[in-house]
Amino acid sequence: MSGIAVTLKKHRGLSIGLLAWLVGIVFFLPIAWMALTSFHSEADAATNPPSFAASLTLDGYREFFGAGGGASPWPALINSAVASVFSTACVLLLALPAAYALSVRRVKKWTDVLFFFLSTKMLPVVAGLLPIYLFAKNTGMLDNIWYLVILYTSMNLPIAVWMMQSFLAEVPVAVIEAAQIDGARLPTILARVVAPIALPGIAATGLICFIFSWNELLFARVLTGVVAETAPVFLTGFITSQGLFLAKVCAASLVVSLPVLAAGFAAQDKLVQGLSLGAVK
Amino acid sequence: MTATTAPYAATPVRATRQPSARLRAWATRAPLLPALIFMIIVTQLPFVATLVISFFHWNSLYPKARHFAGFDNYREVLTDPDLRHSVWTTVLLTVTVVLVSLILGLALALLLDHRFAGRGVVRTLLIAPFLVVPVAAALLWKHVLFNPEYGLLNGLLHYVGGPQPDWISNTPLIAVEAALVWQWTPFMMLILLAGLQSRDPEQMEAARVDGASEWQVFRYLTLPHLRRYLELGALLGSIYIVQNFDAVFTITSGGLGTANLPYTVYQTFYQAHENGLASAAGVLVVIGSIIIATFALRVVSSLFREEVSRA
C-alpha cells in the first residue's frame, strides 16, 4: 500500500517536472530559434520548412554591424548606454534621500506622498508627450540624448522611490541615530551608513531603472532622430524589412537585448522584488 | 532650572519652540523635495499643458489658425469611428493580455512551486521572454514566428500538414496579444511564485493532516493568500499594457484595426499634426487608465472577499 503511494508520488513529481520543462522550452523556443536563425545565412534563414541543420555563419552579425554598407548600430548602442546609465545615476541620487525621508525619518502623510509617486506611473506617457515634444522643439533640445536622460529619470523615479523606501525600512534606526550623535549630517549618513547597508536593494533598483531606460521606445522615437537615436529606435528600421534580412534582424534583436538579458538573469530574485515595487519579498 | 525660568519664559519658549518645530519638519522634508519637485515639473506640468491644448483647434501645419474650441476635440474623439474603435481596442487588448497572462502565470507558478530536477534552469528559461527588449520581441513575432512563408509557426505546421495562414492579416489583434502574453506571462509568474513561496508551510501541513484535498488547499488557503499578489500583477500589468506602444507599432503599425489609444495619439500629432485632437485623446487615455487601475483592483479584491467569506 505505502509502496504504491510512494511510486505514485514519485511518478507525479516526475510528470510535474516533465510538464514544467516542456512549458519552459515552449516559452524559450522563440528566443532559441531567433538565436539559431541569427547564425544562418539569409538564404537558409528564410525557408519553409525551417532549416534546422543549415551551416552556421556570422554573416548576420557582420551585416548588422554595418559590413554590408548599412548604417552602423554603434552610435545607437552608445546613445542607449548613455541614456540608461546617466538616467539611472540621476534616479538613484534623487530617490535615495527621498526614500530616506519616506521610510527612516518619516515625513507626515508619507503614504500620500508615496501614492503620489505611484500615480505618476499611471499617467500614460502619451498624456504629456505633445508638450514635451513642443518644449524640446522650441528650446532646440530635439534629437538631444540629454533630454532623454531627464525624461527617463522621471519615468523611473517613482518606481525607484517605492522600491528604495521598502529597502531602507530595513536599515536599523539605531545605527542612524548613533551616526547622528557622532555629529554626522544627512549626506554623510546617506553615503556612509544607509547606502552600504541597503546596497543590494540599491543595486536592484538601479538594474531595473537601467532595463526600463534601455527598452524605452515611444519617447526616443518621437524626440530623437539622427544624432540621438537609441537602440530600440534603430531596431524599428527593421519593421518593414523582408525575408532577405531575417538573419540580420535576429542578430540585431539579440545584440540589443543582450545587456538586459544578462542583467536580468544575473539578478532574478531582485528583479521580482523590484518589479513589484518592493511589495513582494 | 525650569522652576526659576518658568514664570517669565512661558511665552518666549512657545515663540521659539514653534519655528524650531517647523524647522525640524522642513529638515525632515528636505531630502524628499528634489525628487518631488522634479516629478511635478516633468510629469504634471506637461499633463496640464496637454489639458489646455485639448481645448484648442490646433494643427501644427497651420499654427495661425489656432483657436479655442471648447469640447469640440473631445466630441470629435468620441464620435470619430476610428478613434472610438481605438478606445475599444485598448480595452480589449489590456483586459485580454492581463487576464490570459495572469492565468497562465498562475499555472506556471504552481508548476514551478514543486521541486523537480532543473527547476532553476526552467525558471530561467521562463523569465527570458520578459527580458527581451520589447521592440526586439515584437520583431521576433512579426518576422520570425508569424511570417506566412518562412515563419516558425507555419514551418512547424508544415510538418503536421496543417494550414499555412497569414497570422497577422487574418487575426491581427490576436497576433499582437499573443506576443504581449508571451512577454507578460513570465512577469506574472515571478510575482505569483514569490507569493506561493511566502505561504505558511505549517498551515498547509495542518490542512493536509486534517484531510483537505489538494483542490481544497488551493481554493481555501492558496488562492486567498495569493489575492494580494494577483491584484498586484493585474494592477502593474494594466498600467503597462494600457500604455503599450511598441508591439502595436512594430507588429501591425496600427493597421488592421489594432491601433490602440497610445498609438492613435502618437499618430494624430506625429503624422496628422492635429495637436488639439491628440491632446484630447491623451486626456481620455488618462481617464481610462485611472478607471482601469481602480476597477481592476476593486473587482479582484471583492471577488476574493467573497471567496474568503464563503470559506
Side-chain angles (χ1 to χ4, degrees), chain A residues 61-76:
Chain A
Y61 290 89
R62 256 178 234 129
E63 278 287 320
F64 170 60
F65 283 108
S72 163
W74 282 115

Side-chain angles (χ1 to χ4, degrees), chain A residues 94-95 218:
Chain A
L94 287 170
L218 186 53

